[in-house]
Amino acid sequence: MASEIYDQLVTVFTNTDNKIRNETEKQLVTNLIDNIQNFQQIAKVAMQQDKMQEQAASLLNSVVLKMLTNNIQLTIHHANSILGVLISQYTPLKCKQSLVKCMSLIVRKDKSVKTEIENKMKEFLRQDQHWQFQTGIIFFKILLDSLELQTYSSIVQTGYEWVSEFFNQAAYIMTKLTEQPKELPDDFITTIRIYTQVVSDLCEKVFDKNNSQKEQTQPIQNILFQLNSFSGVLMILLSYSPQTGKQIQNCSIINTGNDHFDAQLNEIKCQVFKIYFLCLQVLLNSRNKNEVKKGAFGPYLTTITQLLIYSLLAYTNSESIHQIYNKPYLTSIMTYIMKLLANLGSQTEQYQIFSDSKIALITDAIYPFLITSQKEYQQMKEQPEEFVNLALDSVDKQESDVPKTAAASLLETLCDHIDGSTTFLANLAVIISQHSINMISSNPVQLKEQQLTFVMALQDKKLFKEYTPIDRIESSLVILTIMSYLIQKRLDIVQLMEQLLTDNLLYFQNVQEQIIKLRLSLFFGYYCDNLFKKETQSQNMNAYLQIMISFVQPQEPVVLYQSIDALKDIFEDDDLKNKTKDLVLLLFPSLCNGLQYSTYERHFETITNLLKKYPNQFLQNDNLLVGLIQVLNQRVITEQQKINSGDQQRHIYLNRCWNVLRQLAEQDEFTGILGKLEQHLAQLYSMLAFCDKIDYDEDLVLFISGCISKLSVVTELQMQILPYFQNIIKKQQGRLCNLFETLNQYMHFGRNYFLNEAQQSIYFQLAFQNLQNEDLHGDIEQGEGALLIQLGIQELHDDLKTNILSQILFQTIQLLQKQDINEHLKSRITGIILSSLYKIPEKTYEVLTEFFQAVYNRILETHYSPGYDIKLFIITMSSLIMKQPNLLTPNLLTIMVNNLIAQEKYEKDYKYKQNDYMDDELDDEDDSDFNDEEEIQQAQQQTEQFLSSIVKLDEYSIFKQTLLSIKNQYIYYTHSLDSHKQLIN
């Protein structure tokens, strides 16, 4: 059997026939689950030097996970087999790592195994060979992954001795790094790498700032913050700097010139920086200063700060930023270093270090990393929306893990906590911008001697030696934008920027470089409410607003998106409305043209918001709205073609187009021109003839409904597409959905169109398409079709053609004869006959003649739903009684009164429910067929969109008036009437 199991293992991982491989895998997994000896056999393969060793370990992990998922009992033999693989010297590290997941789940499920794993961890960490130490780390990882946050205790800190034990034992081998050998053995590097990776995993678990279970992680946090072996080893790892090759002395970043060695060590360093970042963002922001000072990290904070600043500046001055971006792990390292410094810079104890280093940090690190990298330039072309989002994040929340956002965070820390930084930065950015513009402009602005001296002092800096004037202008604008949150009370800085913009208006009007257009848009979007506030400066404000508008060009998507983001804020600012309202007409055509292809969500939002904020401007120039409609019409067609070609992602842009279109239909100010705008959507309307090929039929229905609702009329174009609605109902499998409201409106507001027989036929066929749908047989949803038929009869009454009425009534009778129809639906269908009797009794009697008595009896026998259905029954019968008093029999009176009692009770219960006073159970006397509250509610919701005038009538008053008007003539009913005196009165 052992040989057979091995052969199956080979087949599963080597056979090229998918069918054979899959079938064999099923057999093999079943064999391992059913027979522990087979499981142990695969474990032997995994712990021996065998060509299938790695595959065997992977299979063990999969089988255990499958057993746990399916609640198949695991035994101690399974755990021991995997343990055997883990402790074997011949099991490669990769195989051991592949078993961590299944083993951690076993530990989580069986706490008795946890003790054995803890013991093994301690045993292997005390050994001398690297494979043994690595195995000890694997056992720590198993214990770590077995932790469930909800089982942590915020009070009791016992049960975590293994955490302290791990770091205390690990410190022994890590101290060997202090010898700083020229070369590290590969085994040693591997040991350090898996150590830092596992510790990083631990810190991610317990220091996650978004963790909703912070209290539960407190015990382990406390251990780590007090554990000298934890902080000490981190300091050793952080400061390790081999004295060999090109390595910068005492620099934390490895740069020996040996690419393989550098990549290996910088991978480790990257994890170390990450660990520090995760720890310090919690330690420095949530612990009191005395606790921090007395803890394990306290003695190292100044050393860490000095080392980070030195390493950052020394390395950036020895390598070009371009090379840094292209070296493995260096991008992440730079990000973590600057984020760490942003945290440390807020600590008063570190003030002097940052104060002494601020100029170097700004000119040698912050400035260069804010300049757009080659990778970002590529993103600018291929993913313009993402590029704009990164720009916005860099100057705002800084959530992206890239050097640019980290540099922005560090800049903010300097401005917030280091005196003089804001003034220095603002002056530096303005002077560098002007100097750089002078280098490329045909109209240079003379710098003052002091400013020129300042610039000359920076000539040897990376900023001037490695970058172009365009780069310096760009980064200066970004720096000024990042500082925008500080500027409101700094009139001196605002005046500096105003002078810069005034002096260089001609340059910015003619700028060709996309990156400058982007950064100017970003800058102006953040400063528009602070700049040029004086009336004498309105011309300058107007000029720059027009520059922003000129950037809204479809041929430059990234510039379009960035300028839209700026203009969105500008035009939506109430304080700027007087300055911007006349420019809306200039901006809008460009915005509309950009919609031909734009995928930028804020683009659509901006158009919608402009429609809301400046309706008068558009009403005076309604050709702008016509242009918008035409662009959206074509964009919808284009998006639908892409969707039909298989690109389902385009649905999002199709929806955005319809959001704008619906805004036009919903906004009261545009009611007067809706009819004109609608004409330009004729092509979309006509596509309803092929609605199985379009995805916007429901959007179009909602748009039409919105138009009719606002205009209170139905247009010729809308009537032309009425027959196409049958395609939508078919597509929706007989359901009306939004068509229910729309067809209501067609009949209510477009009655005159339905005076001819052809249109009547179309309307009632649509209603019966829902009502007679077999797929919805007996469903209350079919009540919508019944209501539409009722509305058609009520609205047309005498103008309803006799043969159409005949078809309606006889189809209704056939429906009522079906078995198992929901009582609510039966009530609603009977309402068709009631509507006919109410509005056209003579014509109804004429059509029914010989069937009338049977139909009338059915009407009296029907249990009517509370709400509209009872109301219709009472009003119809009251109307009939007035015309034919002899219909008022004791039986009819009793039925009507009972219905009114049910109606009154329903209304009281509903009122109590609305006020949270309704009892959980209905009264014992309520034994009607309408105890299904959900169905009652559904029936009620249908009538909320129902445009019948009957809905507004008071059935109680009508009933009482009817009885009072005939009471004197029918004295023999006095006793019956008196028995219901309270209700009648």
Side-chain angles (χ1 to χ4, degrees):
M1 186 63 184
S3 175
E4 182 182 339
I5 291 294
Y6 186 85
D7 290 343
Q8 286 181 337
L9 178 67
V10 173
T11 300
V12 168
F13 287 97
T14 62
N15 199 293
T16 56
D17 189 314
N18 286 337
K19 185 176 180 181
I20 293 174
R21 193 168 64 248
N22 292 337
E23 288 179 356
T24 306
E25 183 177 8
K26 289 179 183 177
Q27 293 173 8
L28 180 58
V29 170
T30 301
N31 288 336
L32 264 63
I33 291 174
D34 292 344
N35 192 324
I36 184 60
Q37 291 180 336
N38 293 333
F39 189 91
Q40 291 169 333
Q41 177 61 33
I42 293 297
K44 286 181 182 178
V45 177
M47 69 177 71
Q48 297 172 354
Q49 293 178 330
D50 188 283
K51 64 179 182 179
M52 299 305 294
Q53 188 174 20
E54 189 175 323
Q55 291 82 353
S58 174
L59 178 63
L60 289 174
N61 185 64
S62 299
V63 169
V64 171
L65 294 181
K66 189 177 182 68
M67 292 175 74
L68 290 170
T69 302
N70 296 321
N71 292 317
I72 299 172
Q73 183 65 42
L74 281 164
T75 67
I76 191 64
H77 300 298
H78 291 96
N80 286 336
S81 295
I82 295 174
L83 196 59
V85 178
L86 289 171
I87 64 176
S88 170
Q89 181 177 358
Y90 302 106
T91 306
L93 178 62
K94 187 176 181 180
C95 292
K96 293 181 180 182
Q97 288 173 321
S98 72
L99 290 167
V100 168
K101 185 172 184 179
C102 72
M103 196 65 193
S104 64
L105 290 174
I106 291 174
V107 172
R108 185 180 293 185
K109 196 173 183 66
D110 186 354
K111 300 303 179 185
S112 65
V113 180
K114 181 173 180 287
T115 303
E116 179 66 16
I117 299 298
E118 287 185 26
N119 291 334
K120 288 294 181 186
M121 181 197 79
K122 295 172 186 177
E123 175 188 337
F124 276 85
L125 286 175
R126 289 170 183 154
Q127 306 304 313
D128 293 329
Q129 296 185 53
H130 278 291
W131 78 266
Q132 294 168 319
F133 199 85
Q134 291 165 14
T135 302
I137 297 173
I138 293 295
F139 284 125
F140 178 76
K141 174 65 172 170
I142 289 169
L143 292 168
L144 168 62
D145 287 359
S146 71
L147 283 177
E148 297 176 83
L149 291 180
Q150 65 268 25
T151 66
Y152 290 10
S153 168
S154 58
I155 301 172
V156 181
Q157 296 190 25
T158 57
Y160 302 120
E161 295 87 355
W162 54 272
V163 175
S164 301
E165 183 74 21
F166 171 75
F167 287 108
N168 290 336
Q169 289 296 326
Y172 168 72
I173 193 166
M174 294 302 163
T175 53
K176 292 183 179 180
L177 268 179
T178 57
E179 301 168 12
Q180 297 185 343
K182 290 185 177 180
E183 292 183 7
L184 297 175
D186 285 343
D187 274 352
F188 193 13
I189 293 174
T190 300
T191 300
I192 301 171
R193 186 175 65 248
I194 68 166
Y195 171 85
T196 53
Q197 179 61 63
V198 168
V199 175
S200 174
D201 292 344
L202 170 65
C203 291
E204 273 194 289
K205 197 162 191 173
V206 298
F207 293 121
D208 180 6
K209 64 180 180 180
N210 297 317
N211 194 342
S212 60
Q213 298 169 310
K214 291 181 181 178
E215 288 187 8
Q216 287 85 345
T217 64
Q218 203 76 23
I220 294 185
Q221 286 187 18
N222 293 338
I223 291 172
L224 295 179
F225 287 147
Q226 297 300 322
L227 205 56
N228 291 324
S229 56
F230 173 57
S231 62
V233 167
L234 281 180
M235 196 66 232
I236 290 170
L237 292 169
L238 180 68
S239 57
Y240 170 70
S241 180
Q243 303 305 302
T244 182
K246 298 191 302 179
Q247 179 65 30
I248 304 166
Q249 189 173 359
N250 299 321
C251 179
S252 183
I253 303 165
I254 309 302
N255 188 33
T256 66
N258 180 336
D259 292 344
H260 177 68
F261 178 80
D262 290 351
Q264 283 185 305
L265 267 293
N266 279 328
E267 180 185 4
I268 292 168
K269 291 283 189 174
C270 190
Q271 293 295 340
V272 174
F273 290 124
K274 180 181 178 182
I275 293 165
Y276 267 119
F277 173 70
L278 292 168
C279 291
L280 294 185
Q281 72 173 345
V282 172
L283 181 65
L284 299 180
N285 296 320
S286 64
R287 306 273 170 146
N288 66 59
K289 292 192 175 181
N290 285 333
E291 186 182 350
V292 173
K293 194 177 291 186
K294 293 177 182 178
F297 282 84
Y300 298 115
L301 288 181
T302 298
T303 306
I304 291 169
T305 302
Q306 292 171 328
L307 182 55
L308 290 174
I309 291 176
Y310 170 75
S311 297
L312 176 65
L313 296 177
Y315 195 82
T316 52
N317 281 311
S318 69
E319 290 275 16
S320 72
I321 300 297
H322 175 71
Q323 288 175 315
I324 290 173
Y325 277 124
N326 287 308
K327 284 192 173 183
Y329 307 107
L330 260 294
T331 301
S332 294
I333 285 175
M334 291 298 166
T335 301
Y336 281 123
I337 288 178
M338 287 188 283
K339 280 190 170 185
L340 275 164
L341 289 174
N343 245 323
L344 289 161
S346 64
Q347 307 301 305
T348 54
E349 293 81 3
Q350 312 302 318
Y351 175 87
Q352 195 58 50
I353 301 173
F354 279 90
S355 182
D356 294 342
S357 307
K358 73 178 179 185
I359 294 176
L361 285 171
I362 290 167
T363 57
D364 298 349
I366 292 173
Y367 242 109
F369 281 114
L370 289 176
I371 293 170
T372 300
S373 67
Q374 290 301 313
K375 183 178 180 182
E376 288 173 322
Y377 272 112
Q378 192 67 28
Q379 184 188 48
M380 193 167 81
K381 294 178 183 178
E382 297 174 359
Q383 298 174 297
E385 191 170 343
E386 288 305 310
F387 183 89
V388 171
N389 287 336
L390 175 61
L392 295 171
D393 183 50
S394 299
V395 301
D396 201 348
K397 296 181 180 178
Q398 290 116 27
E399 292 179 341
S400 305
D401 286 323
V402 294
K404 185 183 293 292
T405 56
S409 295
L410 179 54
L411 183 150
E412 289 187 357
T413 294
L414 292 177
C415 289
D416 291 341
H417 300 282
I418 309 302
D419 295 342
S421 295
T422 301
T423 302
F424 174 78
L425 264 168
N427 279 280
L428 177 67
V430 170
I431 293 170
I432 286 179
S433 296
Q434 188 60 70
H435 179 266
S436 301
I437 291 172
N438 286 348
M439 294 180 70
I440 56 179
S441 173
S442 57
N443 298 294
V445 176
Q446 187 68 38
L447 286 173
K448 295 176 183 177
E449 185 177 345
Q450 184 181 4
Q451 293 174 324
L452 202 54
T453 303
F454 185 77
V455 172
M456 294 306 294
L458 298 173
Q459 292 299 307
D460 289 335
K461 293 287 187 181
K462 180 186 289 286
L463 186 59
F464 280 83
K465 293 174 68 175
E466 196 172 315
Y467 293 103
T468 68
I470 294 297
D471 294 329
R472 292 195 290 275
I473 298 168
E474 177 217 346
S475 52
S476 295
L477 289 172
V478 172
I479 281 176
L480 290 171
T481 309
I482 294 169
M483 297 169 62
S484 62
Y485 72 101
L486 297 163
I487 300 304
Q488 292 211 350
K489 296 180 181 179
R490 293 296 302 269
L491 186 60
D492 57 328
I493 295 177
V494 172
Q495 289 174 341
L496 275 175
M497 292 189 291
E498 286 178 347
Q499 191 63 50
L500 177 69
L501 294 175
T502 302
D503 290 344
N504 297 286
L505 176 61
L506 192 61
Y507 167 73
F508 286 119
Q509 283 177 330
N510 296 289
V511 69
Q512 297 301 310
E513 291 81 9
Q514 278 193 344
I515 196 64
I516 302 300
K517 292 180 181 180
L518 290 165
R519 300 320 187 199
L520 180 62
S521 298
L522 187 69
F523 167 85
F524 210 77
Y526 276 81
Y527 278 106
C528 61
D529 55 346
N530 285 305
L531 294 170
F532 304 125
K533 284 190 170 183
K534 297 176 183 176
E535 287 300 320
T536 55
Q537 299 172 324
S538 60
Q539 189 174 351
N540 289 323
M541 171 62 85
N542 190 282
Y544 271 95
L545 284 174
Q546 293 196 50
I547 291 174
M548 294 294 101
I549 292 170
S550 72
F551 290 167
V552 183
Q553 296 297 329
Q555 59 268 30
E556 294 183 301
V558 69
V559 179
L560 170 70
Y561 297 165
Q562 187 73 75
S563 58
I564 281 173
D565 194 83
L567 290 164
K568 182 177 185 291
D569 293 335
I570 293 169
F571 279 88
E572 291 174 16
D573 191 323
D574 289 331
D575 294 335
L576 296 173
K577 190 170 182 180
N578 289 331
K579 296 179 181 179
T580 56
K581 64 180 181 181
D582 294 331
L583 293 173
V584 172
L585 306 181
L586 187 63
L587 167 66
F588 204 71
S590 298
L591 280 177
C592 292
N593 288 335
L595 275 186
Q596 294 176 56
Y597 70 88
S598 176
T599 59
Y600 195 44
E601 184 176 9
R602 294 188 190 96
H603 190 167
F604 293 85
E605 289 176 359
T606 301
I607 292 207
T608 301
N609 292 339
L610 288 177
L611 293 174
K612 292 177 182 177
K613 200 167 189 68
Y614 300 92
N616 292 333
Q617 274 70 21
F618 293 115
L619 288 174
Q620 293 165 17
N621 299 269
D622 61 11
N623 59 306
L624 293 175
L625 297 180
V626 170
L628 172 62
I629 286 280
Q630 289 172 334
V631 169
L632 289 171
N633 179 80
Q634 188 54 51
R635 180 70 187 270
V636 168
I637 292 170
T638 301
E639 293 302 334
Q640 187 62 64
Q641 289 170 346
K642 292 178 180 179
I643 291 169
N644 291 344
S645 298
D647 188 355
Q648 297 302 308
Q649 296 297 319
R650 306 303 296 191
H651 274 106
I652 188 171
Y653 310 122
L654 190 69
N655 292 337
R656 287 176 186 170
C657 289
W658 280 107
N659 287 341
V660 178
L661 285 168
R662 280 201 298 275
Q663 175 63 33
L664 286 167
E666 292 168 1
Q667 197 164 330
D668 292 338
E669 293 92 340
F670 301 137
T671 299
I673 60 169
L674 268 182
K676 178 179 179 180
L677 298 179
E678 184 189 45
Q679 296 301 314
H680 297 278
L681 294 176
Q683 190 176 4
L684 297 186
Y685 278 34
S686 65
M687 286 304 295
L688 288 178
F690 316 97
C691 78
D692 57 321
K693 297 181 180 179
I694 63 174
D695 294 73
Y696 57 82
D697 44 293
E698 281 292 276
D699 293 297
L700 192 50
V701 166
L702 287 171
F703 179 81
I704 292 169
S705 183
C707 288
I708 299 174
S709 179
K710 278 287 184 287
L711 294 170
S712 296
V713 296
V714 176
T715 64
E716 289 279 359
L717 179 59
Q718 291 162 0
M719 283 304 300
Q720 290 172 17
I721 63 168
L722 182 64
Y724 300 156
F725 289 161
Q726 64 177 323
N727 302 327
I728 298 177
I729 299 172
K730 182 179 179 181
K731 183 177 180 179
Q732 293 169 170
Q733 299 178 314
R735 290 175 170 83
L736 290 172
C737 302
N738 291 319
L739 267 181
F740 174 60
E741 181 181 13
T742 308
L743 288 172
N744 255 278
Q745 294 169 326
Y746 262 78
M747 178 54 69
H748 185 68
F749 295 113
R751 180 185 186 281
N752 290 340
Y753 288 109
F754 293 100
L755 297 180
N756 73 74
E757 187 171 336
Q759 296 290 18
Q760 288 182 16
S761 178
I762 293 170
Y763 173 85
F764 287 109
Q765 283 176 12
L766 292 171
F768 271 111
Q769 191 177 348
N770 166 253
L771 185 54
Q772 294 178 323
N773 183 16
E774 289 297 326
D775 292 336
L776 296 175
H777 178 65
D779 196 317
I780 186 62
E781 201 169 347
Q782 291 176 291
E784 292 179 342
L787 286 176
L788 288 176
I789 296 167
Q790 290 185 41
L791 184 65
I793 296 170
Q794 293 169 20
E795 291 285 349
L796 294 172
H797 44 89
D798 290 329
D799 289 319
L800 182 60
K801 305 301 180 185
T802 303
N803 64 320
I804 298 288
L805 175 62
S806 179
Q807 293 173 24
I808 291 169
L809 292 176
F810 283 111
Q811 287 181 80
T812 301
I813 292 169
Q814 289 177 343
L815 285 169
L816 289 172
Q817 291 172 344
K818 289 188 175 182
Q819 300 296 316
D820 302 326
I821 295 181
N822 181 293
E823 287 294 335
H824 296 281
L825 179 58
K826 189 182 294 183
S827 163
R828 198 128 283 183
I829 294 172
T830 308
I832 297 172
I833 301 172
L834 289 172
S835 294
S836 186
L837 286 170
Y838 176 56
K839 284 293 185 179
I840 41 176
E842 293 82 3
K843 191 181 284 190
T844 304
Y845 182 77
E846 180 184 336
V847 170
L848 293 177
T849 54
E850 58 188 281
F851 304 104
F852 184 80
Q853 190 58 47
V855 170
Y856 183 74
N857 290 339
R858 182 179 288 274
I859 289 171
L860 299 185
E861 294 167 1
T862 300
H863 293 279
Y864 293 99
S865 299
Y868 166 77
D869 291 4
I870 287 179
K871 183 191 295 282
L872 176 62
F873 171 72
I874 297 297
I875 291 170
T876 299
M877 298 315 296
S878 296
S879 174
L880 291 177
I881 291 168
M882 290 295 292
K883 292 173 184 176
Q884 292 182 270
N886 61 309
L887 288 175
L888 184 58
T889 65
N891 182 45
L892 174 58
L893 182 60
T894 300
I895 292 171
M896 293 177 74
V897 169
N898 286 340
N899 273 283
L900 285 169
I901 291 171
Q903 185 85 317
E904 186 177 48
K905 182 183 185 310
Y906 168 75
E907 290 171 355
K908 285 181 180 178
D909 288 346
Y910 181 76
K911 182 179 180 180
Y912 289 146
K913 184 181 177 184
Q914 290 296 96
N915 292 284
D916 295 325
Y917 296 133
M918 190 174 185
D919 293 333
D920 292 334
E921 298 180 0
L922 295 173
D923 292 344
D924 294 338
E925 64 182 11
D926 185 4
D927 58 353
S928 71
D929 295 307
F930 302 115
N931 290 337
D932 188 338
E933 189 175 329
E934 185 178 341
E935 288 186 350
I936 294 175
Q937 186 177 6
Q938 191 176 353
Q940 185 67 25
Q941 286 171 347
Q942 289 176 356
T943 58
E944 288 174 3
Q945 294 178 317
F946 192 41
L947 296 177
S948 167
S949 58
I950 292 174
V951 173
K952 298 178 181 179
L953 297 179
D954 182 355
E955 64 270 33
Y956 300 100
S957 297
I958 291 173
F959 175 64
K960 284 187 277 188
Q961 288 296 326
T962 300
L963 294 185
L964 290 173
S965 67
I966 63 172
K967 188 175 181 181
N968 294 332
Q969 300 177 38
Y970 295 89
I971 303 301
Y972 52 88
Y973 287 144
T974 300
H975 178 72
S976 296
L977 294 176
D978 287 342
S979 65
H980 303 295
K981 185 176 181 180
Q982 183 179 356
L983 184 66
I984 296 170
N985 291 334

